[in-house]
Amino acid sequence: MKRLLLITLLIGYIYPCVAQDKPIRTEESLEGTVIYKKTTTFEVDGYTYQCDVDDGSQFVTLYNKENKLTYKDIVYKATGKIYIGSWNEKKVIEYNSSMSKQADFIVDEAFTKAMADEIGKTELMITMLLSPNTGEVMEVNFNFFTFEPYARVPLHVYREIEVKLKEQIHFKPGEVGKQLNYIMLSWRQKPQGKLPPLPPPGSLM
């Protein structure tokens, strides 16, 4: 009887410890079906996004409906002449490695690890349109194809990226950049995702 009681007490002590060492993580994954498969306007939680899909290529352009510059040419403000120079020119914008790394981090953190694992090696194209006066992010666009995993990413993920880029990212416009109606910075990135927070110590899931 004493031995049985001792075993019962030990089991009751060890089990919670094991559970704390290996907590179960629950996190959001990609939607089961394609969300962005045709040109559509999405109105969600106080903001509106526009999804434009090219019927031939199935190329998607996703952006905030309030954007004004998504399809506007980049021109010199004084003359209206289209800018055809290189975006690598230092005179357009000054490179800032810390800002570039922060932009990558914002994209990584918007996706869960489960989403990133499902996405695999496919890259997302992100485009920031910057103010020629302040270098702050005015607008954000996203591009992918309907047959890529990004077409199944919940809208709130793109919204989070947009908001945080506008809040945290800014570059210094160069001499030429100040003369344009906006400065465009685009890059492709494979999100790494973030792990969800661990449950409180002692809790069982």
Side-chain angles (χ1 to χ4, degrees), residues 39-42 48-52 61-65:
T39 297
T40 312
T41 300
F42 297 92
T48 304
Y49 259 57
Q50 180 64 32
C51 166
D52 296 335
T61 300
L62 184 66
Y63 56 96
N64 193 311
K65 186 72 172 179

Side-chain angles (χ1 to χ4, degrees), residues 68-83:
K68 307 293 184 184
L69 303 170
T70 301
Y71 297 111
K72 294 286 186 180
D73 290 328
I74 302 170
V75 302
Y76 288 94
K77 291 183 287 186
T79 64
K81 183 179 179 179
I82 294 178
Y83 175 73

Side-chain angles (χ1 to χ4, degrees), residues 167-186:
E167 291 176 345
Q168 302 177 28
I169 304 302
H170 63 273
F171 288 83
K172 185 177 181 180
E175 179 183 345
V176 174
K178 293 178 180 178
Q179 301 175 43
L180 306 176
N181 58 334
Y182 69 88
I183 299 170
M184 181 178 67
L185 287 181
S186 295

Side-chain angles (χ1 to χ4, degrees), residues 28-33 111-112 114-116 118-119 149-150 152-154:
E28 187 177 15
S29 57
L30 300 181
E31 295 293 334
T33 58
F111 291 81
T112 65
M115 290 180 186
E118 289 186 67
I119 287 169
Y150 295 105
R152 296 190 289 120
V153 172

Side-chain angles (χ1 to χ4, degrees), residues 183-198:
I183 299 170
M184 181 178 67
L185 287 181
S186 295
W187 76 99
R188 301 182 69 87
Q189 181 174 343
K190 191 282 179 194
Q192 299 302 307
K194 65 177 179 180
L195 290 173
L198 293 171

Side-chain angles (χ1 to χ4, degrees), residues 15-157:
Y15 179 76
C17 294
V18 172
Q20 291 176 38
D21 289 340
K22 296 182 178 180
I24 299 174
R25 297 178 185 272
T26 57
E27 54 185 352
E28 187 177 15
S29 57
L30 300 181
E31 295 293 334
T33 58
V34 174
I35 303 172
Y36 318 101
K37 59 184 176 181
K38 62 181 181 179
T39 297
T40 312
T41 300
F42 297 92
E43 296 183 5
V44 184
D45 298 331
Y47 60 90
T48 304
Y49 259 57
Q50 180 64 32
C51 166
D52 296 335
V53 180
D54 180 82
D55 291 334
S57 65
Q58 294 298 296
F59 187 68
V60 178
T61 300
L62 184 66
Y63 56 96
N64 193 311
K65 186 72 172 179
E66 295 182 353
N67 284 11
K68 307 293 184 184
L69 303 170
T70 301
Y71 297 111
K72 294 286 186 180
D73 290 328
I74 302 170
V75 302
Y76 288 94
K77 291 183 287 186
T79 64
K81 183 179 179 179
I82 294 178
Y83 175 73
I84 56 175
S86 170
W87 291 107
N88 293 324
E89 291 182 6
K90 294 181 180 179
K91 292 183 178 180
V92 175
I93 195 169
E94 292 187 12
Y95 177 70
N96 186 319
S97 61
S98 63
M99 282 290 106
S100 295
K101 290 178 181 178
Q102 182 63 20
D104 288 346
F105 178 76
I106 288 171
V107 175
D108 282 339
E109 288 290 291
F111 291 81
T112 65
K113 190 65 170 61
M115 290 180 186
D117 290 343
E118 289 186 67
I119 287 169
K121 297 181 179 180
T122 308
E123 294 180 321
L124 172 68
M125 177 176 285
I126 307 103
T127 300
M128 300 187 298
L129 308 183
L130 312 180
S131 165
N133 302 316
T134 65
E136 296 178 342
V137 180
M138 299 188 297
E139 300 180 5
V140 179
N141 303 325
F142 304 96
N143 293 108
F144 48 86
F145 290 94
T146 59
F147 48 81
E148 292 181 322
Y150 295 105
R152 296 190 289 120
V153 172
L155 186 60
H156 71 81
V157 173

